[in-house]
Amino acid sequence: MEILRSPVPESDAMDDKQLAKLVKKTVAKAARPKALQSRTYDATLDATRPPPTLQDEEALELFQQMKKREF
């Protein structure tokens, strides 16, 4: 009977300290509050603008990520 080994060599495997540090960093990034939309100089634009929706925020985030990539 053969012993099954992981595809990652032991020397390259992430130890518990590294994994905990990465999880902590990721959780902190996810917990960071989103920036509020900046106000305009014309108050009538702010008054007539509909409140932002979750779909709008996701679309904005997607486009920000797409700007960083080259095609």
Side-chain angles (χ1 to χ4, degrees):
M1 190 172 195
E2 289 186 35
I3 298 175
L4 297 177
R5 296 182 187 214
S6 66
V8 178
E10 286 294 323
S11 61
D12 292 341
M14 190 178 296
D15 65 351
D16 291 337
K17 289 181 182 180
Q18 287 177 323
L19 184 60
K21 184 178 177 182
L22 182 61
V23 168
K24 185 176 179 181
K25 179 181 172 184
T26 306
V27 168
K29 186 176 180 182
R32 198 174 319 143
K34 302 279 184 183
L36 296 176
Q37 189 173 13
S38 62
R39 296 184 58 94
T40 58
Y41 291 103
D42 188 0
T44 57
L45 291 175
D46 290 332
T48 59
R49 180 179 296 144
T53 63
L54 181 59
Q55 187 177 10
D56 294 338
E57 292 175 10
E58 290 175 353
L60 181 62
E61 192 172 320
L62 173 69
F63 287 120
Q64 292 295 332
Q65 289 294 322
M66 289 177 68
K67 283 184 190 178
K68 295 178 185 177
R69 299 181 184 174
E70 293 183 22
F71 293 98

